[in-house]
Amino acid sequence: MDLSKDPREPDPRAALADLLAFYAEAGVDAALGDAPVDRFAESAAERSAPRAAPRPDAAAPGAALPVAASPGTAAARREIARAPAPSPGAPSPGAPPPPDRAAADAREAAASAPDLDALRALMEGFDGCALKLTASRLVFGDGNPRARLMLVGEAPGRDEDIEGKPFVGRSGKLLDRMLAAIGIDRTSAYIANVIPWHPPGNRTPTPQETAICLPFIRRQIELVNPDVLVCLGNPSTQTLLGSKDGITKARGRWMEYDTGTRRIAALATFHPAYLLRTPLGKRMVWRDLLAIERKLAETKPEAG
Ligand code: URA
């Protein structure tokens, strides 16, 4: 027993563990910086910082008063009060554009990408999806871009957000084992997600976020141009294959996906994250894997 401690004092480790558990439940699951930043203090300091003397012709009606306001003075407070208020509904600076506009921008950007490197660069520079603000990085794709098999999941998880590659966490490890069962690894498959940014707290992406990201994954599929497309889980199946059925009904049935330049065989199967929770589903996925293996053999281009 540690006699130097007052038993009536709360244990700081327990309090910290409670706080961390609270953060995790609230969806705060990634550290974006090493030290906390007090944004309130930052903006208060900005407001009270002395301004540079304005040009004599700079004052417009309703503009801030051209006074050298020292921090905290009545003049400074009046100056702040006179600054034009943002009009209601006006986007705040740095905020992504409205979803329709963002989806149109994404369509235009995606269509202009001649290859995967250009597409990745365009997506890195795209600011239309708010998920980018909370994600650490873009999770573009992994594997062989010339593979005949492409698999598409829903959205990166926390591990993928850290590594910048799709399916590297627990469900990714299971996916690798599933593929290995039919002799496939990441040198013979290409893997991506419908949404390329990790949603905070692993929440489900909103329909708007999905609509904004859709042109990017569609272009990515078109550029990889696989012979077989596999949708992992319900969101990917419904988004890419337009299926209205739940995954239990949709899985295991061959469908077609139109890349924009050709129609390719597409199959839905259970998401590996579901299989981690429901191991019985592996029996059905085994059948799907065998069907994928057969389809790849059937569609193999003649050598020579
Ligand atoms: N789940 C997904 O849908 N995609 C990933 O990359 C990881 C987990």
Side-chain angles (χ1 to χ4, degrees):
M1 189 176 170
D2 185 352
L3 295 176
S4 65
K5 278 197 189 145
D6 181 346
R8 287 162 305 179
E9 270 186 20
D11 178 359
R13 280 171 310 179
L16 276 176
D18 283 351
L19 183 62
L20 282 176
F22 168 78
Y23 280 149
E25 277 161 23
V28 183
D29 63 353
L32 297 181
D34 289 338
V37 179
D38 186 344
R39 302 283 178 207
F40 292 110
E42 261 181 14
S43 47
E46 238 169 60
R47 281 201 301 271
S48 56
R51 288 172 177 239
R55 287 182 294 123
D57 60 337
L65 280 176
V67 291
S70 5
T73 60
R77 283 194 295 276
R78 275 201 306 278
E79 197 170 316
I80 291 161
R82 273 167 180 261
S87 51
S92 44
D100 287 357
R101 175 73 206 285
D105 290 350
R107 273 196 298 279
E108 200 180 310
S112 73
D115 54 36
L116 286 173
D117 286 344
L119 182 65
R120 180 199 278 262
L122 281 165
M123 288 165 71
E124 300 271 12
F126 182 75
D127 289 325
C129 182
L131 290 174
K132 185 181 174 184
L133 298 174
T134 47
S136 316
R137 69 202 81 245
L138 174 79
V139 177
F140 182 69
D142 190 33
N144 183 350
R146 296 154 65 93
R148 297 181 56 230
L149 173 65
M150 177 164 177
L151 302 108
V152 182
E154 181 185 15
R158 194 167 163 267
D159 295 320
E160 289 75 20
D161 185 55
I162 293 168
E163 277 203 37
K165 283 187 188 171
F167 285 100
V168 291
R170 274 186 74 218
S171 51
K173 301 272 177 292
L174 176 56
L175 180 63
D176 287 345
R177 288 201 296 277
M178 285 158 56
L179 293 175
I182 53 166
I184 287 179
D185 62 16
R186 292 190 188 211
T187 64
S188 46
Y190 185 82
I191 305 177
N193 283 302
V194 171
I195 307 278
W197 291 285
H198 169 53
N202 261 350
R203 69 160 169 76
T204 302
T206 65
Q208 284 92 340
E209 287 160 354
T210 303
I212 292 167
C213 296
L214 184 57
F216 292 126
I217 184 64
R218 285 192 53 84
R219 183 71 181 141
Q220 205 168 351
I221 298 170
E222 188 185 357
L223 290 167
V224 174
N225 195 21
D227 291 333
V228 174
L229 176 73
V230 174
C231 293
L232 298 167
N234 215 15
S236 163
T237 304
Q238 296 195 335
T239 307
L240 295 175
L241 303 182
S243 157
K244 300 269 177 290
D245 292 329
I247 187 69
T248 311
K249 202 154 171 222
R251 63 143 284 280
R253 259 191 291 133
W254 282 105
M255 296 180 238
E256 276 196 336
Y257 175 84
D258 189 347
T259 67
T261 41
R262 78 187 250 250
R263 289 176 169 273
I264 58 173
L267 188 84
T269 192
F270 288 136
H271 193 288
Y274 169 80
L275 295 178
L276 288 172
R277 298 189 300 271
T278 322
L280 260 187
K282 287 182 188 169
R283 284 187 197 174
M284 279 168 272
V285 170
W286 175 235
R287 281 190 229 151
D288 299 341
L289 288 165
L290 293 176
I292 293 165
E293 189 181 34
R294 274 195 303 273
K295 185 64 83 181
L296 284 169
E298 276 165 31
T299 55
K300 194 170 178 129
E302 299 278 313

